Amino acid sequence: MAIELTERELLHEREVAIHATYRDRPLGIAYRADLIVDSKLLIEIKAVDAIHDAHVAQTLSYLRLLGLRLGLLINFSAPLIKNGIKRVVNNL
């Protein structure tokens, strides 16, 4: 995925550290986002039988912690890739 983004000359970051806090105290790096494109779009990559609510909740949590609005949850195990893409929106 990162190779394709590079080929298309899209700015992106891989394995982006997501910091968490508790009661305004830093907890350090809690998670890592797979890809962030143009500082606007989170892409979370999976290879699972099906996307479950837990995957959507994880993506939404990442969006909230990063202060982003839009994410794509992509399951590369889907028979057709277009059926393995789920759009996730953070209603800031």
Side-chain angles (χ1 to χ4, degrees):
M1 177 70 94
I3 292 169
E4 189 64 31
L5 292 170
T6 300
E7 288 289 321
R8 293 173 185 250
E9 298 182 359
L10 292 169
L11 297 175
H12 64 282
E13 299 174 81
R14 295 174 53 192
E15 293 292 320
V16 177
I18 301 174
H19 298 269
T21 60
Y22 177 75
R23 295 188 181 190
D24 295 324
R25 294 185 182 141
L27 298 176
I29 297 171
Y31 310 103
R32 291 200 179 270
D34 291 330
L35 289 162
I36 297 181
V37 180
D38 200 24
S39 300
K40 296 176 186 171
L41 173 68
L42 167 70
I43 298 177
E44 272 302 299
I45 298 170
K46 301 292 180 199
V48 293
D49 290 335
I51 292 178
H52 297 287
D53 290 343
H55 300 125
V56 176
Q58 174 192 18
T59 303
L60 188 55
S61 293
Y62 288 6
L63 288 170
R64 288 180 179 147
L65 289 168
L66 290 165
L68 297 176
R69 181 163 166 71
L70 182 60
L72 292 177
L73 183 53
I74 302 175
N75 182 11
F76 281 100
S77 288
L80 291 174
I81 194 67
K82 70 178 185 176
N83 296 334
I85 299 173
K86 177 147 182 79
R87 186 174 186 255
V88 181
V89 178
N90 175 19
N91 296 319
L92 305 171

